């Protein structure tokens, strides 16, 4: 198989927490499209229409990455820069966590939450479309069921890299799937319809996700996504976090976030969405980053 390879090495901050990144990509125990061994991970994805395998090692204060792209199509002149940008985004290296920690490490309530996790960045999906498909897939179901459903989506699209890894589809490939195929892959009728509508809109340019990555027009992203039936505020804020690196989505609709707030406050009653929204509001523009710390605390506690 002919192909091309891109490489990139990035220096990591001294407080970089590699294990959170590796754990995020280790969610699927079957390793269909992502495999993690030690300090290395391999991920199958579609790179500008072609199957590709990302190999990444996080060690020695560096991220060393290679992207092996199948096919003999020549890449664009700025392909190496695009790869480096994707890698920085994937690792959360452009997230302004220093300002957040400087402001809140001494906070009487959330300071003790942050202190054990200094340097925490939000691991991200390889593309905004991947983040959106994960958010849609995970609506109103457990993480374990969402992982199984995501695996079925990858199998249904059936794009494989020459290394053997399956690839998470891009919008063009997902748009080619009939809703009946998604239903056969265990997607509900509503989720199949939403995913199909989203995929077509991204594929035809109606939702220019890659352009939005450069400018991050939050209100345009929000309004464009909310116009699709089946995408609500939680899906948008989650995708803005995992796909675009925007750290101020409220995520008050997230059950785990509300459970984390309840634990932090020592509240005897469950925290409702309205109460969670009000509690998170003073922590703008880092509400989603605070949510990530709440997630991490619950994970450490075994939830």
């Amino acid at each position: 198989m002919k192909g091309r390879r891109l490489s990139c090495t990035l220096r990591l901050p001294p407080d970089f927490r590699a294990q959170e990144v590796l754990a995020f990509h280790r969610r699927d125990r079957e390793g269909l499209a992502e495999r993690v061994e030690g300090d290395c991970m391999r991920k199958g994805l579609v790179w500008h229409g072609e199957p590709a395998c990302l190999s990444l090692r996080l060690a020695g204060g560096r991220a060393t990455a290679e992207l092996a792209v199948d096919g003999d199509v020549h890449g664009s002149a700025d392909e190496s820069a695009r790869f480096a940008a994707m890698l920085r985004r994937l690792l959360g290296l452009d997230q302004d966590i220093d300002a957040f920690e400087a402001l809140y490490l001494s906070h009487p309530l959330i300071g003790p939450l942050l202190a054990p996790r200094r340097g925490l960045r939000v691991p991200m999906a390889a593309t905004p479309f991947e983040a959106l498909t994960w958010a849609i897939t995970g609506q109103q179901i457990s993480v374990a069921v969402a992982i199984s459903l995501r695996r079925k989506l990858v199998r249904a699209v059936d794009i494989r890299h020459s290394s053997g890894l399956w690839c998470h589809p891009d919008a063009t490939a997902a748009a080619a799937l009939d809703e009946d195929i998604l239903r056969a892959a265990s997607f509900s009728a509503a989720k199949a319809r939403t995913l199909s509508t989203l995929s077509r809109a991204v594929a035809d340019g109606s939702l220019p996700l890659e352009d939005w990555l450069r400018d991050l027009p939050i209100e345009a992203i929000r309004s464009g996504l909310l116009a699709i039936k089946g995408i609500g505020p939680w899906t948008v804020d989650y995708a803005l976090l995992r796909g675009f690196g925007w750290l101020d989505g409220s995520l008050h609709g997230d059950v785990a976030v509300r459970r984390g707030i309840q634990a932090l406050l020592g509240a005897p009653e469950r925290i409702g969405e309205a109460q969670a929204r009000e509690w998170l509001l003073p922590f703008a523009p880092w509400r989603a980053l605070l949510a990530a710390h709440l997630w991490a605390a619950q994970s450490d506690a075994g939830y």
Side-chain angles (χ1 to χ4, degrees):
M1 169 69 73
K2 294 181 180 180
R4 61 190 187 279
R5 293 177 183 271
L6 305 172
S7 60
C8 180
T9 299
L10 300 175
R11 186 181 299 275
L12 299 173
D15 61 357
F16 187 80
R17 299 166 64 95
Q19 289 309 308
E20 271 94 355
V21 174
L22 296 171
F24 179 69
H25 294 284
R26 196 190 291 119
R27 291 169 298 173
D28 185 354
R29 299 295 182 182
E30 292 189 15
L32 187 71
E34 296 155 319
R35 295 174 189 169
V36 176
E37 295 180 1
D39 55 13
C40 299
M41 64 165 275
R42 295 167 61 235
K43 178 179 176 66
L45 52 93
V46 176
W47 179 259
H48 301 294
E50 299 171 302
C53 176
L54 169 65
S55 299
L56 174 64
R57 183 168 185 253
L58 302 172
R62 295 179 182 274
T64 306
E66 179 182 83
L67 188 70
V69 185
D70 284 349
D72 55 4
V73 177
H74 293 293
S76 61
D78 64 346
E79 190 171 44
S80 293
R82 286 175 177 265
F83 177 47
M86 183 192 76
L87 187 59
R88 290 190 63 84
R89 190 169 60 250
L90 190 80
L91 299 174
L93 294 180
D94 296 324
Q95 297 172 14
D96 189 11
I97 66 167
D98 291 339
F100 173 68
E101 292 179 356
L103 189 59
Y104 289 114
L105 272 171
S106 60
H107 190 281
L109 184 60
I110 71 167
L113 172 72
L114 308 184
R117 301 168 189 86
R118 294 187 68 164
L120 179 69
R121 289 169 170 80
V122 181
M124 293 177 60
T127 67
F129 180 72
E130 182 181 346
L132 276 162
T133 59
W134 171 255
I136 292 168
T137 300
Q139 291 170 347
Q140 305 297 318
I141 57 177
S142 70
V143 173
V145 175
I147 290 170
S148 174
L149 204 55
R150 177 177 182 263
R151 189 187 308 129
K152 291 176 181 178
L153 171 63
V154 171
R155 288 188 185 277
V157 178
D158 193 18
I159 299 174
R160 305 188 212 190
H161 185 258
S162 56
S163 66
L165 274 181
W166 296 61
C167 300
H168 192 282
D170 64 358
T172 301
L177 288 181
D178 291 335
E179 289 184 26
D180 288 345
I181 295 177
L182 291 172
R183 295 284 288 120
S186 301
F187 280 77
S188 68
K191 285 185 180 180
R193 183 170 54 251
T194 300
L195 184 55
S196 292
T197 303
L198 171 73
S199 301
R200 290 193 298 268
V202 175
D204 69 17
S206 302
L207 293 176
L209 300 185
E210 296 302 317
D211 291 343
W212 285 344
L213 263 180
R214 290 191 291 271
D215 303 326
L216 207 61
I218 298 302
E219 290 310 312
I221 297 172
R222 187 181 298 280
S223 61
L225 293 176
L226 287 175
I228 295 179
K229 186 176 181 180
I231 292 182
W234 177 88
T235 301
V236 172
D237 283 334
Y238 186 90
L240 281 167
L241 175 63
R242 294 289 195 191
F244 293 90
W246 190 57
L247 300 179
D248 196 33
S250 179
L251 291 170
H252 54 271
D254 190 279
V255 173
V257 169
R258 298 202 303 271
R259 186 169 59 231
I261 295 172
Q262 180 185 356
L264 194 64
L265 297 176
E269 303 293 334
R270 291 182 178 179
I271 301 294
E273 289 193 25
Q275 187 179 357
R277 183 191 298 110
E278 291 301 313
W279 186 85
L280 288 165
L281 189 58
F283 298 105
W286 292 288
R287 288 173 290 177
L289 183 55
L290 176 54
H293 278 269
L294 293 168
W295 286 332
Q298 291 179 83
S299 178
D300 292 345
Y303 285 103

